[in-house]
Amino acid sequence: MSDLSYAEVSARLQARWPEQKIDPTLDRVQRLVDLLGDPQKSYPVVHLTGTNGKTSTARMIDSLLREAGLRTGRFTSPHLESVRERITLNGEPISEERFVETYVEIEPYLDVVDSEQEHPLSFFEVITGMAFAAFADAPVDVAIIEVGLGGTWDSTNVADGTVSVITPVAVDHAHILGADPVTIARDKSGIIKQGGTAVVSQQSRDVLEVLMGRAAQVGASILREGLEFGVVSRSVAVGGQLMSLKGIGGEYDDIFLPLHGEYQAHNAATAVAAVEALFGASEESGDRVTTELLQAGFAEVTSPGRMEVVRTSPTIIVDAAHNPHGAQATAATVSEAFAFQPLIGVLGCMKDKDVYGVLEAYEPIMETVICTRNSFTERSMPAEELGELAMEIFGEDRVLVRPHLIDAIDDAIRLAEEGAIAMGSGGVLVTGSVVTAGEARTLLVRKPKEADPMPGFDPAGYTQIGDTE
């Protein structure tokens, strides 16, 4: 047992390069896993990239594989409240004790890499190495690995995915990945590996051509939503939706998914195809994935911070959408699944995002938007600046500015309750960033003093470290 505490490990991780500081190379992390004995080669990998939907799809794949009797490891980012959420074993965040032990086990190798390279390992590179090592030590039967950013140069890409999943590609991180979906797709296509299988969600024709070209180049097979798999039908149900899905091995009916939104149904179809691809399913041999397995596996799926109802009376929804593509999906889901009269928005964004596009997506459904600041870091947009943008779209009479998130939520609850007296059932949507969603969950789901001391939300100072959204 190490003498290091969880807080001390936190401090050492926070002292490293934050994950938004990008140096496009795999040299450092490749050297690290070489020294660790290539733990990422100890198990088959399902590797996910895309602009939106990665984490939800990863959680669905995880649930289905566990239902099939496999021991799973899942690595996702960023986290909402605790960095331990990023590394899960059999669906549960790694324990504090095991988190510290894993760090201590790899720390001597971190020092070696740091001494050899021009720049030291970043926060995200270290966490990636910890995940690979923890999964090998467990051991797991399969690892579900989500990229942090992009694909080709992402630290996770030292793993070779047996199955590579590409969720819908849109514009995000334009200053890093490129200003159009095709350019971004070229980077993301780098996770498709020799002899593997690429499972591709619905894409524009140009993006699909890029992904198919990469698959042909490396000799990977490709499964495309709308052709080899997809959503046959879906209907809104209490607490979620009822789906019929087409998979590689056949059609699966009467599948209940306890998540709202058409996009989640498409994520579910992608998850099914990924599991089928991992198991080697075909029309001739699809018996390992059954309707009964899907019904049981999807029934257990959760997706914190994604259209998550955290309070009632009035209903408060927390959602991590942070780009126009995600905001449009969230707006459509709110309209479909709820009948809020009025809906009050609480918005906190990062200033390097297409904030104008996010505001445009929400204007038709929000009666009032309260602009706030999700954390006082260089990346977070000041509430006053966000408010000025919002007034251009909503008009001055529909915009309030509250610099602190807790005040913004309090005012939103009050407006929703007051409006509901005259109009019906009021609701609150807190959105704009993964950071905003995480901080709102900390305020609304549990007491701030219980917040995780790892890199993430600090309720005393509203700081966020290592956000790759």
Side-chain angles (χ1 to χ4, degrees), residues 30 40-41 43-47 132 143 145 156-164 190-194 196 214:
Q30 184 64 64
Q40 78 283 4
K41 296 182 179 180
Y43 35 75
V45 168
V46 178
H47 201 182
F132 289 151
I145 307 293
T156 63
N157 206 32
V158 295
D160 292 329
T162 303
V163 177
S164 302
I191 74 164
I192 302 174
K193 298 298 178 62
Q194 182 75 37
R214 168 66 180 182

Side-chain angles (χ1 to χ4, degrees), residues 177-199:
L177 299 178
D180 62 272
V182 169
T183 302
I184 293 170
R186 292 193 187 102
D187 184 67
K188 293 183 182 295
S189 71
I191 74 164
I192 302 174
K193 298 298 178 62
Q194 182 75 37
T197 301
V199 176

Side-chain angles (χ1 to χ4, degrees), residues 49-187:
T49 190
T51 302
N52 293 302
K54 298 184 296 295
T55 300
S56 293
T57 305
R59 294 178 71 95
M60 293 177 190
I61 293 170
D62 191 349
S63 185
L64 295 177
L65 292 176
R66 284 186 282 116
E67 186 62 34
L70 299 182
R71 181 170 171 80
T72 63
R74 185 180 75 241
F75 180 62
T76 56
S77 62
H79 57 276
L80 286 170
E81 297 173 90
S82 166
V83 74
R84 295 186 297 109
E85 299 166 19
R86 299 185 182 218
I87 304 174
T88 70
L89 295 169
N90 268 355
E92 294 297 326
I94 189 172
S95 69
E96 290 187 11
E97 179 181 12
R98 187 63 197 131
F99 189 91
V100 172
E101 289 173 351
T102 302
Y103 178 83
V104 170
E105 288 166 4
I106 75 168
E107 188 176 30
Y109 305 102
L110 305 181
D111 294 337
V112 172
V113 178
D114 288 347
S115 67
E116 294 177 346
Q117 301 292 323
E118 180 181 359
H119 301 294
L121 289 154
S122 70
F123 169 87
F124 188 73
E125 288 168 332
V126 174
I127 290 292
T128 300
M130 289 176 63
F132 289 151
F135 296 158
D137 186 66
V140 302
D141 298 314
V142 61
I144 304 104
I145 307 293
E146 176 190 336
V147 304
L149 178 69
T152 299
W153 302 110
D154 187 74
S155 299
T156 63
N157 206 32
V158 295
D160 292 329
T162 303
V163 177
S164 302
V165 177
I166 298 90
T167 64
V169 174
V171 176
D172 198 10
H173 300 286
H175 61 296
I176 298 171
L177 299 178
D180 62 272
V182 169
T183 302
I184 293 170
R186 292 193 187 102
D187 184 67

Side-chain angles (χ1 to χ4, degrees), residues 220-284:
S221 56
I222 190 165
L223 304 173
R224 299 155 295 180
E225 184 178 6
L227 293 174
E228 287 79 17
F229 70 93
V231 178
V232 177
S233 65
R234 58 178 290 273
S235 58
V236 178
V238 176
Q241 55 191 304
L242 195 64
M243 311 175 296
S244 289
L245 304 175
K246 174 190 175 185
I248 312 308
E251 192 167 312
Y252 309 101
D253 299 320
D254 299 321
I255 309 296
F256 176 72
L257 179 68
L259 301 175
H260 297 289
E262 181 180 2
Y263 69 99
Q264 292 288 22
H266 290 286
N267 289 341
T270 301
V272 170
V275 170
E276 289 180 313
L278 185 69
F279 288 162
S282 66
E283 291 184 3
E284 292 73 31

Side-chain angles (χ1 to χ4, degrees), residues 194-206:
Q194 182 75 37
T197 301
V199 176
V200 180
S201 300
Q202 284 185 334
Q203 310 287 350
S204 68
R205 177 179 295 181
D206 290 345

